[in-house]
Every structure is written in C-alpha cells, then in structure tokens.
Amino acid sequence: MTTPYVIGIGNAVMDVIAPTSDETLARLGVEKGIMQLIDRERSEFLMAAQSADPQAGKARLVPGGSVANTLAGLGMLGLRTAFIGKVAGDPLGLSYAEQTESQGTVFVNPPVAGEVAPTSRSIIFVTPDGERSMNTYLGISAELGEADVNPATFSGAGWLFLEGYLFDRPDGKAAFLKAAEACHAAGGQAGIALSDPFCVDRHREGFRRLVAGPMDYVIGNVHEWCALYQVEDLEEALRLARADCGTVVCTRSGEDAILIRGEERVTAPVHLIVPVDATGAGDQFAAGLIYGLARGLPLAVAGRMGCIAAAEVISHVGARPESDLRAAFRAEGLI
C-alpha cells in the first residue's frame, strides 16, 4: 500500500519551555496556569528576562502549534507529512524549520529573510508544581496567506488538515480555500479542526461556509459544535453538522467521541486516566483519527485510535507522543 501523504497548515509556534519559580512569575507579572496572547515587546521582555534569570533552568526550544503537533504524531505513526507554516529567518525560525525536518516532516516554505515580524513563540514558564503559564506571541505565523500555498505541494497528497486558529485573518481564509482546492484537484480530502469556540464565535458565518463547502471532515468538541450552530443541544448541533459535512467528529472531554459519516454513526470509547499535562490532547486525537481514516480503516477504529493517541499524550508533559502508538493500536487489535 502507498504510504498516505498528509499536508497540514497552521501556526508555526516555537515553544520556549523555561523552568522557573513562583517568585519569578510574580516579579514578571505572569498570571499562573493560563495562556495569554502577548505583543512583540512583551515577548522580547519575557525572553530576555528568562535568559537573564540565574535561578531559572535552561529553556528548551520545541516546535509547536496545533497542526504541527498533529503532523508530528502522524509522522511517528509512519505517514508522510508536510507542514505549510511561516517563520522568520531568525534563530527561532531557523531552529523551527531544522527541527521539523529532522523529525520527518517536510517544512515547505523556507524561513523569510529581511525585515519581517519575528518567528511566533509561546514562552511557557513551568513552576516546580508542574503548572504551565503560557505567553504566546503570534508573530509572522499569523501572516500566512494565499501566496504561501503552492498547489504543486499537493501532488500525491491524500489528506489536508487545517488549523481553525488561522481562520482569524482574511489571509488565512484565502490560504485555506486555495489549499482545499489544490487538495481536491490531487484527489485528496480536506478537513479542519474548529480549534476554539471563541474563534468560531468571531467567524461563525465563514466557518459555516467552510464546513458546508470544501471541508470533507471536521473535528470539534461539544462547545465548538454548539457555538458553530448557535444551539445549546449537542444533538441538534450534530444534526445540522451532518447536513453540512461528510464526516463529523465530536470529542467530549473524557466521554466517548461521536463520529458521523453519512448514515453511519459510531462512538469511540474513552478510557479515563488522570492527566499529567492536557496540552496536545486534541492535536493527537486528530493524529490518531486521520491515521485511521487515511489507512481506510472503519470509522469506529479511526475514532478509537484518536482516543488512544490523546490518552498517550496527556500521560506525560509535552504535546507530542513519547511511546509507540502503533504498538498500542496492535495491543487493542486495531491493526
């Protein structure tokens, strides 16, 4: 069988993971345990403060971003992957591209040289109790647009996966539509993760057109699906989604996932574990799901693969798998 080829488009965010103390958080004015968007000046201040703190541990640079994490999981499962993202030709951007390539995902667009916005980064302060306080500057990643999507990239691609966060900007919308058209022209299927209910609220009509138009599969959680259709009842939201989209996937935070494709409706069981770090759970659910779909496995099997991948990533710190997911799939008789 030809190895499936998956292309993703999303924010290319370098995670700068820095051990620190509660005292340092207070001194820097960082609110503990939350994610907040910051501007360039604030990001440069926090980067400098972290580097200069004699009590802080050495920061780790880990390529991140939701879709990038999904592609990393798919690559670990043996699929061919490519990432369309945008970084600057600064040290963080060069490291992001190099690490992405070294981990097996093609980084399609070279870092942008010249006087441009810096590479996106999420400065993650980790205190001794394990709490992660994230400060995210979107930088050049948010400028990804139609010109960054080359249809030739999609030759042989069977699957496209988009990050809903990028839908916040007109350039991102244009990039999504161009990519979906190129994917379909290559005979592939295009899908999106809704990403965030607040993002859905801001761009509801655009998301509705995307879901009912070029998207072949859509992944969202209860809050995102209900926000999309402005209803409080999940079943009503799923009824409306089914009328719009070929494959509808709903995760339910610890409860069985629901998957609908045409007249088929299945659930994928979730086996509850105590999370060590919930970061990346949705990203790796998408990786397991897309792996199953790309391999042509039954819908229920693909859904269960997503649940297994999500459970693995929340069992340790970090947004990417650390153990052999295919071994876990084999242990359940899924492959």
Side-chain angles (χ1 to χ4, degrees):
M1 179 185 292
T2 302
T3 302
Y5 176 27
V6 183
I7 295 175
I9 302 181
N11 283 305
V13 182
M14 181 66 88
D15 289 341
V16 182
I17 304 174
T20 193
S21 65
D22 288 289
E23 292 74 20
T24 298
L25 287 188
R27 177 171 57 81
L28 296 177
V30 173
E31 190 169 348
K32 185 174 178 177
I34 68 165
M35 194 285 282
Q36 55 186 355
L37 293 175
I38 58 175
D39 60 20
R40 178 175 179 173
E41 182 179 4
R42 175 69 170 164
S43 80
E44 291 174 352
F45 168 76
L46 291 178
M47 290 282 285
Q50 186 280 324
S51 298
D53 185 356
Q55 296 181 325
K58 183 175 176 60
R60 289 191 299 127
L61 302 181
V62 180
S66 179
V67 161
N69 290 334
T70 298
L71 293 173
L74 285 165
M76 293 174 72
L77 284 165
L79 271 58
R80 297 166 53 214
T81 56
F83 180 48
I84 297 174
K86 196 162 191 172
V87 297
D90 53 24
L92 284 185
L94 295 173
S95 177
Y96 191 102
E98 180 181 355
Q99 288 192 60
T100 298
E101 291 267 350
S102 70
Q103 292 170 13
T105 293
V106 175
F107 193 78
V108 175
N109 297 325
V112 181
E115 295 296 319
V116 295
T119 296
S120 310
R121 77 284 310 263
S122 183
I123 307 160
I124 304 171
F125 292 104
V126 184
T127 43
D129 59 2
E131 278 282 6
R132 295 157 65 90
S133 307
M134 294 182 267
N135 303 266
T136 302
Y137 165 60
L138 292 179
I140 196 173
S141 181
E143 299 175 10
L144 187 141
E146 189 175 1
D148 298 303
V149 177
N150 182 352
T153 304
F154 291 82
S155 177
W159 297 83
L160 169 67
F161 188 47
L162 305 171
E163 183 176 318
Y165 288 120
L166 269 179
F167 208 67
D168 256 336
R169 294 175 178 267
D171 286 349
K173 295 182 180 70
F176 282 4
L177 293 174
K178 183 177 180 180
E181 182 179 357
C183 179
H184 287 148
Q189 294 196 50
I192 190 170
L194 295 177
S195 293
D196 184 283
F198 300 108
C199 187
V200 172
D201 283 336
R202 287 192 295 272
H203 306 286
R204 182 174 291 105
E205 291 309 310
F207 269 118
R208 287 283 301 272
R209 286 193 295 271
L210 198 65
V211 170
M215 294 299 99
D216 301 293
Y217 65 100
V218 180
I219 305 170
N221 63 28
V222 174
H223 305 294
E224 290 155 3
W225 282 117
C226 288
L228 184 65
Y229 293 102
Q230 292 182 283
V231 297
E232 295 183 2
D233 179 58
L234 175 61
E235 286 302 318
E236 176 62 10
L238 294 179
R239 183 187 70 80
L240 294 167
R242 175 184 170 187
D244 280 347
C245 184
T247 300
V248 173
V249 181
C250 179
T251 58
R252 297 192 293 165
S253 187
E255 296 184 51
D256 294 355
I258 299 171
L259 301 94
I260 304 170
R261 183 168 57 193
E263 296 300 315
E264 180 185 12
R265 174 172 172 149
V266 299
T267 58
V270 171
H271 299 164
L272 290 177
I273 65 170
V274 177
V276 174
D277 176 10
T279 308
D283 306 338
Q284 297 312 321
F285 175 88
L289 173 80
I290 294 169
Y291 175 82
L293 295 176
R295 286 295 188 189
L297 299 172
L299 190 61
V301 171
R304 178 63 189 141
M305 287 176 163
C307 295
I308 291 172
E312 192 281 342
V313 82
I314 68 173
S315 69
H316 57 77
V317 174
R320 299 183 175 186
E322 293 184 351
S323 63
D324 187 345
L325 290 176
R326 282 181 293 185
F329 297 164
R330 283 192 293 269
E332 287 203 15
L334 302 177
I335 55 175

